[in-house]
Amino acid sequence: VHALSRRLDFGDDRALKVPVGAATVLECRGETYAHCYVARTFAGARPAPLALVATARQFSSFILVLGTLSAADEFEPAHAIVVKNKDEVLVPLGLDPLPAPKAFRDAIESLSEEQQTFCKAFRQMQLASSLFGILVVQVKPQVEAVLNLPPGALTKEIQLTADLMDYFLKYHVPTDLLSYDGDAAAAADEKVAAVRDHAAKIKATIDEAQKRDIEEKKRQAAAAVLDSVAAYEEDDNDEEECWGATPGGDANDMLESISTAGAAFGATSMKRGGGGGGGGRGGAMRRKSAPTRGMPMAKGRAAPQMAYDAERKLAATQMRVRGISASRPRRRR
């Protein structure tokens, strides 16, 4: 969008107060700019939506603070974010247009005196917090200040600056553990070397904590594997009991017994079914005269079909038993 911009010069003595807590107030000094944007609409339509886009260059970072101006020298923060290393932040801005003074007077003209007083007070409250403000705080100069380093000492210390940012943002390390506390008249290189030594000690502590954490997770994973193996062995024993395995046998012995029983059952069925064209009727007559207990009556050539079904069930049982024998190691007694 096209906006009007103007730089405001308040001097070095004037500071912008930023309250961040009940007992903490920051004082910011720097360049101040005022921007104006005119949104023209017709027939009561809302203005087009706007968005704030913030980008950072590589190896650079800043804090973007959004809020309102409650006074000429006071900034009320509402949201803040750290933008660093080619980050791009897109913040949609919700605009709520306020009526012009003439339109406001025409709207409350027909109201009572008490209602007009209330509407005027509400409008004053809206206008008091309607000035949107953006505060940009450079991170590297502030880090140099809290670490007791001279300005520009971390300009070429890219890796050290990145490590310090990780310690502050990710691990919440206090600045007192990293700041320089030696002779104030020392050279800048000595101060940077002292801060680097403090950072190396913090890094060693963090690496040791991460190593202990990894070892603990490995122990937990090994214990989980042992628990799963024990549960598998219990299920295996239950499965052997269901299959009726003998104490000294295994799946192969059970397979041989099933095969022998199946062969005997098939031979008996074929013998009862008879052979040739007329044997089926004689077999049926024998069953009718002396039926087997627990078995249904069969007619004609039903006995060969029963033998065929029994052979199919036997083959399926053998395949299942072979799979169990292959997946489970043979036990030694």
Side-chain angles (χ1 to χ4, degrees), residues 148 150 180 182-192 194:
N148 299 327
Y180 172 76
D183 187 8
D189 296 339
E190 296 181 2
K191 295 181 179 180
V192 172

PDB file of all heavy atoms in Angstrom, residues 148 150 180 182-192 194:
ATOM      1  N   ASN A 148      28.132  -7.494  29.033  1.00  0.00           N
ATOM      2  CA  ASN A 148      29.207  -6.558  29.394  1.00  0.00           C
ATOM      3  C   ASN A 148      30.304  -6.522  28.328  1.00  0.00           C
ATOM      4  O   ASN A 148      31.503  -6.457  28.643  1.00  0.00           O
ATOM      5  CB  ASN A 148      29.812  -6.918  30.760  1.00  0.00           C
ATOM      6  CG  ASN A 148      28.797  -6.850  31.876  1.00  0.00           C
ATOM      7  OD1 ASN A 148      27.871  -6.028  31.852  1.00  0.00           O
ATOM      8  ND2 ASN A 148      28.938  -7.733  32.861  1.00  0.00           N
ATOM      9  N   PRO A 150      31.782  -4.583  24.724  1.00  0.00           N
ATOM     10  CA  PRO A 150      31.709  -3.293  24.038  1.00  0.00           C
ATOM     11  C   PRO A 150      30.853  -3.391  22.784  1.00  0.00           C
ATOM     12  O   PRO A 150      30.681  -4.484  22.218  1.00  0.00           O
ATOM     13  CB  PRO A 150      33.177  -2.983  23.703  1.00  0.00           C
ATOM     14  CG  PRO A 150      33.858  -4.304  23.695  1.00  0.00           C
ATOM     15  CD  PRO A 150      33.156  -5.142  24.713  1.00  0.00           C
ATOM     16  N   TYR A 180      30.572 -11.307  30.988  1.00  0.00           N
ATOM     17  CA  TYR A 180      31.959 -11.045  31.393  1.00  0.00           C
ATOM     18  C   TYR A 180      31.938 -10.290  32.720  1.00  0.00           C
ATOM     19  O   TYR A 180      31.279  -9.246  32.862  1.00  0.00           O
ATOM     20  CB  TYR A 180      32.665 -10.223  30.314  1.00  0.00           C
ATOM     21  CG  TYR A 180      34.032  -9.747  30.710  1.00  0.00           C
ATOM     22  CD1 TYR A 180      35.118 -10.622  30.722  1.00  0.00           C
ATOM     23  CD2 TYR A 180      34.251  -8.416  31.070  1.00  0.00           C
ATOM     24  CE1 TYR A 180      36.373 -10.193  31.090  1.00  0.00           C
ATOM     25  CE2 TYR A 180      35.516  -7.983  31.433  1.00  0.00           C
ATOM     26  CZ  TYR A 180      36.575  -8.864  31.450  1.00  0.00           C
ATOM     27  OH  TYR A 180      37.834  -8.437  31.811  1.00  0.00           O
ATOM     28  N   GLY A 182      35.025  -9.624  34.519  1.00  0.00           N
ATOM     29  CA  GLY A 182      36.404  -9.302  34.861  1.00  0.00           C
ATOM     30  C   GLY A 182      36.646  -7.803  34.885  1.00  0.00           C
ATOM     31  O   GLY A 182      35.752  -6.993  35.199  1.00  0.00           O
ATOM     32  N   ASP A 183      37.880  -7.451  34.536  1.00  0.00           N
ATOM     33  CA  ASP A 183      38.288  -6.054  34.540  1.00  0.00           C
ATOM     34  C   ASP A 183      37.567  -5.312  33.424  1.00  0.00           C
ATOM     35  O   ASP A 183      37.579  -5.723  32.263  1.00  0.00           O
ATOM     36  CB  ASP A 183      39.795  -5.954  34.347  1.00  0.00           C
ATOM     37  CG  ASP A 183      40.300  -4.533  34.502  1.00  0.00           C
ATOM     38  OD1 ASP A 183      39.496  -3.660  34.917  1.00  0.00           O
ATOM     39  OD2 ASP A 183      41.487  -4.283  34.218  1.00  0.00           O
ATOM     40  N   ALA A 184      36.923  -4.201  33.761  1.00  0.00           N
ATOM     41  CA  ALA A 184      36.189  -3.433  32.753  1.00  0.00           C
ATOM     42  C   ALA A 184      37.110  -2.759  31.761  1.00  0.00           C
ATOM     43  O   ALA A 184      36.697  -2.435  30.644  1.00  0.00           O
ATOM     44  CB  ALA A 184      35.315  -2.383  33.444  1.00  0.00           C
ATOM     45  N   ALA A 185      38.389  -2.534  32.127  1.00  0.00           N
ATOM     46  CA  ALA A 185      39.327  -1.867  31.225  1.00  0.00           C
ATOM     47  C   ALA A 185      40.041  -2.847  30.302  1.00  0.00           C
ATOM     48  O   ALA A 185      40.943  -2.449  29.555  1.00  0.00           O
ATOM     49  CB  ALA A 185      40.354  -1.079  32.033  1.00  0.00           C
ATOM     50  N   ALA A 186      39.683  -4.110  30.323  1.00  0.00           N
ATOM     51  CA  ALA A 186      40.337  -5.103  29.470  1.00  0.00           C
ATOM     52  C   ALA A 186      39.966  -4.880  28.018  1.00  0.00           C
ATOM     53  O   ALA A 186      38.984  -4.195  27.683  1.00  0.00           O
ATOM     54  CB  ALA A 186      39.952  -6.509  29.910  1.00  0.00           C
ATOM     55  N   ALA A 187      40.754  -5.489  27.137  1.00  0.00           N
ATOM     56  CA  ALA A 187      40.506  -5.345  25.705  1.00  0.00           C
ATOM     57  C   ALA A 187      39.253  -6.119  25.305  1.00  0.00           C
ATOM     58  O   ALA A 187      38.790  -7.026  26.000  1.00  0.00           O
ATOM     59  CB  ALA A 187      41.718  -5.838  24.903  1.00  0.00           C
ATOM     60  N   ALA A 188      38.725  -5.756  24.151  1.00  0.00           N
ATOM     61  CA  ALA A 188      37.503  -6.410  23.677  1.00  0.00           C
ATOM     62  C   ALA A 188      37.734  -7.884  23.369  1.00  0.00           C
ATOM     63  O   ALA A 188      36.859  -8.725  23.613  1.00  0.00           O
ATOM     64  CB  ALA A 188      36.974  -5.685  22.431  1.00  0.00           C
ATOM     65  N   ASP A 189      38.941  -8.225  22.851  1.00  0.00           N
ATOM     66  CA  ASP A 189      39.225  -9.636  22.546  1.00  0.00           C
ATOM     67  C   ASP A 189      39.238 -10.484  23.810  1.00  0.00           C
ATOM     68  O   ASP A 189      38.762 -11.631  23.804  1.00  0.00           O
ATOM     69  CB  ASP A 189      40.568  -9.749  21.826  1.00  0.00           C
ATOM     70  CG  ASP A 189      40.549  -9.063  20.472  1.00  0.00           C
ATOM     71  OD1 ASP A 189      39.429  -8.863  19.947  1.00  0.00           O
ATOM     72  OD2 ASP A 189      41.627  -8.714  19.956  1.00  0.00           O
ATOM     73  N   GLU A 190      39.773  -9.955  24.900  1.00  0.00           N
ATOM     74  CA  GLU A 190      39.791 -10.700  26.153  1.00  0.00           C
ATOM     75  C   GLU A 190      38.366 -10.921  26.682  1.00  0.00           C
ATOM     76  O   GLU A 190      38.032 -12.006  27.177  1.00  0.00           O
ATOM     77  CB  GLU A 190      40.628  -9.953  27.192  1.00  0.00           C
ATOM     78  CG  GLU A 190      42.102  -9.827  26.815  1.00  0.00           C
ATOM     79  CD  GLU A 190      42.893  -9.096  27.881  1.00  0.00           C
ATOM     80  OE1 GLU A 190      42.262  -8.738  28.927  1.00  0.00           O
ATOM     81  OE2 GLU A 190      44.107  -8.873  27.689  1.00  0.00           O
ATOM     82  N   LYS A 191      37.532  -9.918  26.545  1.00  0.00           N
ATOM     83  CA  LYS A 191      36.153 -10.065  27.010  1.00  0.00           C
ATOM     84  C   LYS A 191      35.399 -11.106  26.174  1.00  0.00           C
ATOM     85  O   LYS A 191      34.667 -11.944  26.715  1.00  0.00           O
ATOM     86  CB  LYS A 191      35.441  -8.714  26.952  1.00  0.00           C
ATOM     87  CG  LYS A 191      36.024  -7.669  27.897  1.00  0.00           C
ATOM     88  CD  LYS A 191      35.250  -6.369  27.798  1.00  0.00           C
ATOM     89  CE  LYS A 191      35.820  -5.326  28.767  1.00  0.00           C
ATOM     90  NZ  LYS A 191      35.081  -4.038  28.696  1.00  0.00           N
ATOM     91  N   VAL A 192      35.603 -11.075  24.867  1.00  0.00           N
ATOM     92  CA  VAL A 192      34.942 -12.048  23.998  1.00  0.00           C
ATOM     93  C   VAL A 192      35.446 -13.463  24.288  1.00  0.00           C
ATOM     94  O   VAL A 192      34.677 -14.436  24.292  1.00  0.00           O
ATOM     95  CB  VAL A 192      35.157 -11.676  22.523  1.00  0.00           C
ATOM     96  CG1 VAL A 192      34.642 -12.774  21.610  1.00  0.00           C
ATOM     97  CG2 VAL A 192      34.470 -10.361  22.204  1.00  0.00           C
ATOM     98  N   ALA A 194      36.550 -14.578  27.171  1.00  0.00           N
ATOM     99  CA  ALA A 194      35.950 -15.019  28.432  1.00  0.00           C
ATOM    100  C   ALA A 194      34.510 -15.484  28.221  1.00  0.00           C
ATOM    101  O   ALA A 194      34.087 -16.504  28.770  1.00  0.00           O
ATOM    102  CB  ALA A 194      36.004 -13.888  29.452  1.00  0.00           C
TER     103      ALA A 194
END
